[in-house]
Amino acid sequence: MAGKGAQNFGLPDDVLAERLADARKSNKLNLSYLNVSEITPALVAKIQQTCATLQELDLRSNGLANLPDEIAELKTLKVLKLNFNKFETIPPVLAKLPRVQILEMSGNLLSEIDDVVATLRNLREVDFSGNRLKAINAKLFGVETLTAINFENNEISQIPHEVVQAKNLQRIDMSTNRLDKLPVELGKLSKLVRIDVTSNNLVAVPPVLGNLKNLRHLDCRHNDLREPFRSKCELEIGKFLEFLREEEERDRLEEIERLKPIGTQTGNWIEYKVKVLHDAEEGTNKCLLRDDLTLTPCGPSIVLVFGGTRRVDRVKSGELWYINTDRMNWELMQIPGAPSPRDAHSACYDPKTKSFIVFGGRSGERKRLNDLYILDMSSAERTEWTWSKPNMEGIIPTPREHAHMSMCGDQVLVFGGSGSGQRLNDLYLFDLETMTWTSPPVSGSVPGPRQQPAAQATATHFFVHGGKSNFILNDLFVLDLKTFVWQELATTGRAPPPRYNHTMNILNDKDLYVFGGNDELGGNVFSLHMLDVLESDLSSSADASKPGTGAMGVVKQTQQSEWTEMESELVYSETRRSCFRENTLVLFQHGSKFQNATRAGDDASIGALFYDTCKTVHVDELAEKVLDEESFKPPNAKMLRVKHTMRTQLAQMPKSSTSVTKKEQIMLDYADDYRRTFIELYPTRRPLLLFPPNECGVEKFICTTIRPTQLPFQELYNFKESVEYISNFMSYEILEDPRQYPTHIPSPYSVLQWQKGDAFDIAIVMVSLLAGVGYDAYVCVGYAPKAVTVNDQSKTECPILEAERLAKAAGPKQEETFEKPSKYLITEAAVLESAFERAQLAQTEAAQTVESAGGIDEEGFGDAFGEEKDMMDPMMEEYSLDEERFLDGQRVHAWVLVLGGKREVPENVFVEPSTGRCYGTDESPYEGIEAIFSSENYWVNMQKNCIGGQGKPLRGISFELTDPVKWETVIDEVKFSESDRPKTSAASTAGDAGGEGSADDEAVAATPAAGDLPPMTPGSGPGTAPGSKPGTAGQMTSEEPVETLYMPDLPARWVTKLVLPREAFDVRCPRGAKVTNYKKCQHEIFAMFGECAQWNGLVSRLTVYTSNARTMVEELREEFHRRKDKLRERITFPEKNMIVERFDPGSSNGLMELVTVHGVQRTATFYQSARLDGLVKREENIGQKMIETFEGRDDQLIYRSVSYFPRQQLAPEPESDKPVNPNRLNRKKKVEEPLQPIRKMTEKFSQVLPDEYSGGAGGGTSALDKKEQLARRTFYVSLGQIKLQFHYGMSRITASTRHYTKDGVTNIVNVDPLEEAPRDSELYEEFQALVESERKCMNDVRDSEKQIQDMIQTRSKEEQNIVLLSPYYDIVRCKTELSEEDEAEGEEKQESDYLSPFLPPMIAGQSITSGQAFEVRDKALRALQDRLIERANIIQARHDEQTALLAKRQANFQRDRDTMNRHEEEEYERECDEAMFRIQILEQRLKRHEEQALQRFYDLDAKLRQDPRLAFLLVQGG
């Protein structure tokens, strides 16, 4: 029996029974050391039957070579021990045991590990020691639950790199193998506790193992370790790990040096080429060029680039690019939870928490943001970096873009930016621990609102430089982070030019560096400036909050910090982006010298480029820039604009500006020949300005630069307003060399866009606009004194004051200078004469004059010009001694000439482009004219006494432009007929026009090629051949070849039609403000609309001083516009302590003018139509007397005055012995000021004419009728007397008077002896009426006093809360801008539910019942019915009221018809007509309401039945 059992199960029955009994108790079956050679299916079935929940099966030390498939029935098996058997492979059945956690197969014959192990997803520990393994299957480490592996005593030579996948691995035993190295991936297994690699062939231990914080055992003895690993491994584990960390750092530094790209030393800069990883996907390894990105240094070698708008497709990006400056290759970080794509955001790095912080910006949907994201970079592995969006609390900043953000200790500081349709200057702090925003209150000199400034925070201060406001800034502010007091630092030296989007760094808490950015034109700046911030500046900002520091808490600086420009050693680059990393300036750009690369603006070429170059420099190693004398001069702003256009704007410029047509080239060649001929004939005259290059560097004939244009603004249509506006709108720039013409003449289109230019530029713009509206305007090129060329008006009287002075001297207002001639005058008959004969006669006379004077000398001047030449030689010698004296008469200038005869201009006038002043041609300050030109032609001045060069005023010049003796034209105006023109031949374009040959060769083609036209000789007049003397036209000898002259046509204008947007027109002046200094005064004008407009509506300020020193103000005039309080003008006289304010109609209290002498006098003038009481003027001698003047009152009152007693001073209250409540110490008791006692009141009345009032002042009138003709009434309040004085009666030279006293004494003087004396009762009644009038008058006086106080308070409130009104077009423009910028920020308007007031309270998802539906319907219909009835009642009540008023008015008319005059009857008829009209309107309205009411009721009922909430139930009910 026993033998049979052993045969069935492979082991004795008693042993099996015993082992199964133990397994039934512990779920562990031990069949080890039983020499079982095979596990039979029967045994497996027995085990399954006996212990269905078996968890551990021990089959060690048997002769097993395989396991049956039936063992898969042991589903609950977790531990399987197969040690010391004869397995050569891992049994495949193990794949069917998914719960196995521990697998032991040591001491077998395994030569490899099958993939079966990888299928055991719950495997925790494996033991394959003592086998014949030569490699480890990498799939084993794909089991995530694996915690321990044992491969001791095998032949394994390496551990697979996939070991890094086993994140939970804690124990590794690889002793007694053939390992020659350990993988560095072991350093990433942070949970490792034990590593045993004894008895291998290791020569070193990976230093990365030193970072394993949980490692408690590392045994690497009995290896071939080299020193110092051999000796260090004997140390205790902590010291050995510390040694490994030191080795890792050393290896890292060596690796950096080994892999670091080799830089090219260029001066102090080191330039690196950023590597491209070709194994990455196309386009994913390049950080493409972008705008409005953030470039943030994070640690000593990491730079992060986030967001921005890619230039290649203008799409906002949410990419995070990583570059290690020790490797110099871009890597795109793909981290979940990243911020949405955006640009114009802010970013900073917190070194304490190793966090990268992103705030705000503008999303791809054009929505401004105020969210905040934090990237945790604390892990050494970039794959473990994580984004998070914290839940913020506190005062969260409003959505904004282009703000600045930097770290300030443990907090993030955010300043400025742009949001909500305006730029900001607020300050916020964000605590990274509590995730809370705060906005600390600041004081001092707060910076103005701005965006894209450069800023940096130290431990104690926060610095802000420049930025973009209404214009580009270059100021510097510092904030004390302890007291939060702002201060503007006044600096000296070579300060950085205005810029924005630049970077700042502070070294040693005092060396402030500013680099890069964009200038006023938007071009990239590459200058570096350093400011050594003085300790006094920082201490003064801290002391600014202390009392006694002055206005606004600003401390006056006794010593100022000085700016120094450093030698940046850079060239221009359009793609450069920069950041500071400690004392290192890091730049990323495309190309080493981008100025030779593709032009900016070509998106197809430049957009696909990427940042492939990195440049670094230690800023403290850069030398101070050596500045020559020219460097200290102001930069030539015009040349900077031209260079900016040529560098960056050529792609956007019109083709006509960047190219030359064939016709233009012909004209240029002709003008060049003319110019060379002119120089040969007149070498001492200044060469002509004929074809200067434009802003694109392309030469253009100067006449084609003028572009007559009429802009759609009424102010630019009239002459005076137009020139004054243009001069104010443009910013005048002096010529770099006062003796030379400008090197470039840009188009007037560009000049208008730039809003600045020299005299030539502004004059061309002015002529273009004047010619566009019909004026005969020309540009004059000549000479002017220094005061004119530099726009120095300090010795010139202000035009405003000059006009007032002339008007005062002239007395009554004169008519306009340009008086419109009467169109009914009979004009004289024109004298008809031949222009050609007149020209020929003038040439003959000129030739005779020259011959009589001695002919023309070799230099082209006659003897008359010889004297001038002799005078110039000593001036040249004197130049080195006295440059200013030499420049007299040599300063070139341009101005405008407007000839009379067109647009009501009666005479010729000069217009100065810098000021807009007009001068008569014989009253101007100019010193001479070389030439004039318009859009039609160019005229050279040939009047020797008016050319200039001698510093004498220009007088006696003639502008008969058709006179060839006085004016020589460049383009001959003589027209040839087609028969006179030579025929075109093929050979005519091949040879030179002046060469010899056949007649065909000498003929000029109708369309000649460039260079084929013979120039007209200057001075020869029309039709004169080159080489002939003036006046000898048509007198050629037979020996001289005859040339046929054919002038080129003037090319088409190359300038684009001038455009001036409304918002730019409203600015009125550069940057919204312009200051001009005149003699003893200063005039400032400001923008009326737009961002540059003053917050208080100020549009003009004229400050008049007592002397030219401008130290004491005599008068200050301010003009305002668009103010809600209707203030138009304010005039202040500081010495008199007087202020005059004038208002437009619509002001509060109907105020027209308010004159205040502080504490002395106040005079208010009112608009009569704006007041019901008829008050016109109120004069106050404060505390003494008040006078009021009235007009148009029914009671005929025209005057009221009141005199006061001196105000009694209030005596101080005696101190009380009662204890004081400390809680009421700070409470101020409001004490009303007592009324000032009145001494006398006087009223005056106008006289009613007899035809206006039937009760005249003639004889026979009663005493009561006398009251209606009262002239003066005086109340002596203090004396208790009342005095009446009446108007003069008909044919009377004296007036009646009455004098009452409150004691009952009456004095009556009647001038009419026949008049009946009033009875005592009448006098008593009149006296009582006068007493009542006195009381009423006193009440009126007190009301006036209250009105005065209210008026003062209202004016104070209006000044404290100034509100500006916008015209319609400005409101539309503002709404357009807001819709474009914040279109995604608006909330959709939700429609209200018409049933919500009637629906019963319900739970979501619940339906109303049938009864509730009927109730809702009844309530809704009843509510509509009530509203309709109420509306009908209101209309009916108004109808009844108007009918009753009409009936009452008709009854009164019937009663008083006989006593009414004509005026009263007409008034009655008019009122009846109006009443009937109102009654008819109300009747129609009531009828229409009755018709519509029933229809509205039916419509609502139908709507209720169709409502899905009611329709179904109503159908069932109906």
Side-chain angles (χ1 to χ4, degrees), residues 28-87:
K28 297 180 181 180
L29 179 59
N30 186 356
L31 299 178
S32 60
Y33 301 101
L34 296 179
N35 295 323
V36 179
S37 60
E38 180 183 7
I39 301 296
T40 63
L43 178 58
V44 175
K46 182 66 173 178
I47 296 174
Q48 176 67 18
Q49 181 181 3
T50 306
C51 186
T53 59
L54 185 65
Q55 296 185 1
E56 180 177 331
L57 178 59
D58 190 352
L59 298 175
R60 292 177 296 172
S61 299
N62 288 291
L64 300 176
N66 202 352
L67 294 178
D69 294 340
E70 287 76 8
I71 204 170
E73 298 298 329
L74 305 178
K75 300 294 186 181
T76 60
L77 196 62
K78 294 183 178 180
V79 179
L80 181 58
K81 298 180 180 181
L82 303 176
N83 309 56
F84 306 108
N85 283 281
K86 298 179 180 181
F87 290 99

Side-chain angles (χ1 to χ4, degrees), residues 619-635:
V619 292
D620 49 4
E621 295 179 359
L622 294 176
E624 181 179 347
K625 186 174 183 179
V626 179
L627 303 176
D628 53 12
E629 184 178 354
E630 293 294 328
S631 301
F632 287 98
K633 294 181 180 180

Side-chain angles (χ1 to χ4, degrees), residues 149-152 171-175 177 194-197:
I149 58 174
N150 186 353
F151 288 93
E152 181 186 1
R171 299 190 303 274
I172 298 177
D173 190 347
M174 298 294 297
S175 58
N177 277 279
R194 179 183 181 89
I195 300 177
D196 192 344
V197 290

Side-chain angles (χ1 to χ4, degrees), residues 991-1052:
D992 295 335
E996 298 180 357
S998 62
D1000 292 338
D1001 294 336
E1002 294 176 357
V1004 181
T1007 308
D1012 290 343
L1013 289 173
M1016 186 179 72
T1017 305
S1020 61
T1024 305
S1028 64
K1029 295 182 180 181
T1032 60
Q1035 302 177 8
M1036 303 269 185
T1037 63
S1038 59
E1039 299 176 356
E1040 296 176 344
V1042 179
E1043 294 185 2
T1044 304
L1045 177 63
Y1046 175 63
M1047 305 301 298
D1049 293 334
L1050 186 67

Side-chain angles (χ1 to χ4, degrees), residues 685-829:
R685 286 191 63 174
R686 186 179 299 276
L688 300 178
L689 182 66
L690 290 175
F691 45 91
N694 62 6
E695 66 269 33
C696 300
V698 179
E699 291 182 346
K700 296 288 184 179
F701 186 52
I702 195 166
C703 291
T704 61
T705 304
I706 297 177
R707 182 64 159 87
T709 304
Q710 181 177 354
L711 295 177
F713 304 112
Q714 183 179 0
E715 295 86 342
L716 300 182
Y717 186 75
N718 296 323
F719 174 70
K720 288 188 176 181
E721 291 83 352
S722 177
V723 296
E724 182 179 354
Y725 177 86
I726 297 170
S727 62
N728 290 332
F729 181 77
M730 304 297 297
S731 177
Y732 180 78
E733 297 173 340
I734 62 175
L735 295 174
E736 187 176 18
D737 187 346
R739 299 169 298 172
Q740 300 296 331
Y741 293 137
T743 57
H744 292 74
I745 299 293
S747 66
Y749 180 89
S750 296
V751 174
L752 273 179
Q753 305 305 313
W754 295 339
Q755 208 173 342
K756 57 184 65 175
D758 54 36
F760 292 82
D761 304 332
I762 303 177
I764 291 176
V765 171
M766 194 172 289
V767 169
S768 298
L769 297 180
L770 290 175
V773 294
Y775 291 100
D776 193 7
Y778 304 81
V779 177
C780 298
V781 179
Y783 306 94
K786 181 180 179 181
V788 176
T789 58
V790 300
N791 194 20
D792 181 11
Q793 303 185 67
S794 58
K795 298 181 181 179
T796 306
E797 186 178 7
C798 177
I800 300 175
L801 302 180
E802 182 182 9
E804 292 180 356
R805 178 178 58 80
L806 295 177
K808 184 177 181 180
K813 183 178 180 181
Q814 302 295 322
E815 298 292 334
E816 294 292 335
T817 304
F818 296 159
E819 182 179 359
K820 183 176 181 180
S822 174
K823 62 181 180 180
Y824 300 105
L825 294 178
I826 300 177
T827 58
E828 298 181 359

Side-chain angles (χ1 to χ4, degrees), residues 833-849 963-965 1031:
E833 59 178 349
S834 172
F836 180 78
E837 293 178 356
R838 186 172 65 251
Q840 293 293 327
L841 179 62
Q843 292 180 14
T844 303
E845 293 177 354
Q848 293 175 357
T849 303
D963 188 348
V965 176

